[in-house]
Amino acid sequence: MNRNNIFVFSVTIGLLLSSGLTLSQDDAKGPLDSGPDGHRGPPKHVDTPETLAVKARMGDTSTLMGSITIPDAVDVCGIDPGYTRLVCLIDVLKSAMSDEVLEHFQLDYSLEKAKDWSNLPAGAFPERPGIFLGELSIKQRGMVKAILMEAASQTENEGFDEMVQTSNADDYIGTISTDYKASYSSFNTTIALLGVPTETGTWELYYGGHHFAFSNTYTDGKLAGATPSFRGIEPFPAFDMNDRTNKPLLQERNAFAALLQSLTKEQLAAARLEGTYRDILAGPQADDAIPEKQEGLSVTKLNDLQQALLLSAILTYVGDINDADAKIYMDKYIAELADTVLGFSGTTAVNSEDDYVRIHGPSLWLEFSLQSNKSTNTVGNHPHSVWRDRSDDYGGQSK
């Protein structure tokens, strides 16, 4: 299949997935077993004076980022999308911040600080860089909204909308959780600049919280890396919070299930991985966990429709960034398809505990894993997933 046709077809397939493969709330229910160590909730955290100071700034209110109005102050940046507008929006926000707030928001760049992301709730991982959204005024949050909508996709259930829905999940958990030290609330989502946004040099726009990490690194006016990019959600697959039904990772799960269920018996046998995967490998603080050896079914063994389904699954992650940058990544991964493999463990429905899917290419590393619920104390499963690019994680920075 022609590369351009594959890309267009993958987008079309992605739009059809929600209607072509509908999985109900009951489909996500699984064993109550919480994993090999029997753990429920975040692990114990050893505090330092620095982390205690961060925790003292945390709150428990909703930021309602989905409904906040973008202020007229950003009109000075125009409407033409791109890097220049992104930097302008950031400058507008910084000009509206006090020195005390700016001290938490604008940080020096370091790879060490860029690696301080996690899937854990704020109280369990206070090392995340940045200012808490709840510490900002409503007007400032509206400016943040404009920045995130410029850097990320505006497609429903992807990009910025996925950010909002994941924050809504923390607000939901906060209404039922008895683990107050975990600090479940969208108030505690952080945003940071690592390095100063300019036309030259390197800097990162970081946005993260429980079950989410968005880390766009820019060098000399261009996106140098959009990974690591972590996505997770609990409850799953859907929940009602903040005046909407939230289902931010349902399309990812449906895309992987559609791909696996398209395989023949012979293809499934080749794609099946040995062992059980209870979580992703290349999660937070696991930057060296991607194996050199590929395991699974070569994408060259897939027909055109199956390759389009695979690209649709990839697009549910790459499509979280803005459209222009997403196309650059998709073109890259399409060019590497012949050297890419697909692997899975568990069931092809991707609806049970320990179901796991992996796409491993020369650059691309994509994982999706279902595990038992940890934060809601209800029977069921929730996903962890990560998109990494082996050639430009953290923008290819080494220090």
Side-chain angles (χ1 to χ4, degrees), residues 43-174:
K44 293 183 182 296
H45 183 84
V46 179
D47 276 312
T48 65
E50 291 77 16
T51 59
L52 287 172
V54 173
K55 287 185 174 183
R57 294 166 36 215
M58 292 180 183
D60 59 2
T61 56
S62 174
T63 57
L64 298 175
M65 288 294 289
S67 57
I68 280 178
T69 300
I70 295 175
D72 293 340
V74 307
D75 292 348
V76 67
C77 298
I79 60 174
D80 294 334
Y83 183 81
T84 299
R85 182 170 189 269
L86 176 62
V87 173
C88 177
L89 292 170
I90 291 172
D91 287 341
V92 169
L93 173 60
K94 288 170 65 175
S95 69
M97 289 178 164
S98 66
D99 290 343
E100 181 181 4
V101 171
L102 192 59
E103 181 182 1
H104 295 301
F105 177 59
Q106 178 64 78
L107 308 172
D108 293 335
Y109 182 87
S110 75
L111 181 59
E112 180 181 8
K113 180 56 65 176
K115 291 182 176 182
D116 277 342
W117 61 274
S118 178
N119 62 287
L120 295 175
F125 194 84
E127 289 86 356
R128 284 185 185 89
I131 189 77
F132 294 117
L133 292 184
E135 295 181 284
L136 302 176
S137 69
I138 293 176
K139 184 177 180 180
Q140 289 169 336
R141 287 181 222 162
M143 295 174 183
V144 168
K145 182 175 183 176
I147 291 168
L148 295 176
M149 291 179 73
E150 183 64 40
S153 167
Q154 298 184 39
T155 302
E156 184 179 6
N157 292 322
E158 302 288 354
F160 176 73
D161 191 37
E162 200 169 62
M163 295 175 178
V164 170
Q165 294 185 63
T166 307
S167 293
N168 288 345
D170 252 23
D171 289 337
Y172 176 91
I173 296 171

Side-chain angles (χ1 to χ4, degrees), residues 341-385:
V341 302
L342 167 68
F344 84 103
S345 179
T347 77
T348 60
V350 196
N351 63 3
S352 301
E353 184 176 356
D354 299 337
D355 282 355
Y356 172 86
V357 191
R358 168 197 305 175
I359 301 174
H360 187 180
S363 303
L364 175 66
W365 176 263
L366 196 61
E367 293 179 277
F368 185 96
S369 168
L370 275 177
Q371 56 187 268
S372 62
N373 287 339
K374 302 294 190 296
S375 302
T376 53
N377 295 317
T378 58
V379 176
N381 302 300
H382 77 285
H384 285 179
S385 63

Side-chain angles (χ1 to χ4, degrees), residues 8-27:
V8 173
F9 191 25
S10 70
V11 175
T12 303
I13 290 293
L15 293 174
L16 293 174
L17 283 172
S18 60
S19 60
L21 180 66
T22 302
L23 299 175
S24 70
Q25 180 87 9
D26 289 340
D27 287 327

Side-chain angles (χ1 to χ4, degrees), residues 56-361:
R57 294 166 36 215
M58 292 180 183
D60 59 2
T61 56
S62 174
T63 57
L64 298 175
M65 288 294 289
S67 57
I68 280 178
T69 300
I70 295 175
D72 293 340
V74 307
D75 292 348
V76 67
C77 298
I79 60 174
D80 294 334
Y83 183 81
T84 299
R85 182 170 189 269
L86 176 62
V87 173
C88 177
L89 292 170
I90 291 172
D91 287 341
V92 169
L93 173 60
K94 288 170 65 175
S95 69
M97 289 178 164
S98 66
D99 290 343
E100 181 181 4
V101 171
L102 192 59
E103 181 182 1
H104 295 301
F105 177 59
Q106 178 64 78
L107 308 172
D108 293 335
Y109 182 87
S110 75
L111 181 59
E112 180 181 8
K113 180 56 65 176
K115 291 182 176 182
D116 277 342
W117 61 274
S118 178
N119 62 287
L120 295 175
F125 194 84
E127 289 86 356
R128 284 185 185 89
I131 189 77
F132 294 117
L133 292 184
E135 295 181 284
L136 302 176
S137 69
I138 293 176
K139 184 177 180 180
Q140 289 169 336
R141 287 181 222 162
M143 295 174 183
V144 168
K145 182 175 183 176
I147 291 168
L148 295 176
M149 291 179 73
E150 183 64 40
S153 167
Q154 298 184 39
T155 302
E156 184 179 6
N157 292 322
E158 302 288 354
F160 176 73
D161 191 37
E162 200 169 62
M163 295 175 178
V164 170
Q165 294 185 63
T166 307
S167 293
N168 288 345
D170 252 23
D171 289 337
Y172 176 91
I173 296 171
T175 67
I176 62 174
S177 174
T178 58
D179 185 3
Y180 299 107
K181 291 182 179 180
S183 299
Y184 293 114
S185 171
S186 61
F187 182 108
N188 302 317
T189 303
T190 65
I191 183 168
L193 300 176
L194 306 182
V196 179
T198 58
E199 294 298 324
T200 59
T202 294
W203 62 280
E204 180 186 307
L205 171 62
Y206 172 78
Y207 172 91
H210 183 209
H211 278 153
F212 205 92
F214 180 90
S215 50
N216 274 14
T217 303
Y218 299 87
T219 298
D220 296 339
K222 294 181 179 180
L223 182 67
T227 60
S229 181
F230 184 95
R231 303 291 181 268
I233 199 72
E234 185 182 348
F236 180 74
F239 63 96
D240 291 329
M241 190 66 197
N242 292 337
D243 298 322
R244 67 176 294 179
T245 297
N246 301 269
K247 46 183 181 180
L249 264 74
L250 183 59
Q251 69 278 11
E252 281 83 351
R253 191 273 295 274
N254 285 357
F256 285 119
L259 171 60
L260 293 181
Q261 291 172 11
S262 77
L263 302 182
T264 66
K265 290 183 179 180
E266 291 76 15
Q267 289 173 323
L268 285 171
R272 186 171 290 279
L273 302 171
E274 294 184 5
T276 299
Y277 291 81
R278 297 192 178 278
D279 202 348
I280 59 174
L281 299 181
Q285 290 75 61
D287 298 304
D288 299 324
I290 299 174
E292 288 297 325
K293 181 182 178 181
Q294 293 178 315
E295 298 178 85
L297 173 69
S298 170
V299 172
T300 62
K301 303 298 183 181
L302 302 180
N303 61 34
D304 286 353
L305 174 60
Q306 291 168 331
Q307 287 193 13
L309 289 171
L310 179 133
L311 288 170
S312 289
I314 296 172
L315 190 60
T316 62
Y317 291 87
V318 177
D320 285 333
I321 60 177
N322 70 61
D323 294 345
D325 289 324
K327 187 179 186 307
I328 293 173
Y329 269 107
M330 290 303 297
D331 287 346
K332 173 183 177 180
Y333 297 149
I334 289 169
E336 296 177 347
L337 275 183
D339 299 309
T340 300
V341 302
L342 167 68
F344 84 103
S345 179
T347 77
T348 60
V350 196
N351 63 3
S352 301
E353 184 176 356
D354 299 337
D355 282 355
Y356 172 86
V357 191
R358 168 197 305 175
I359 301 174
H360 187 180

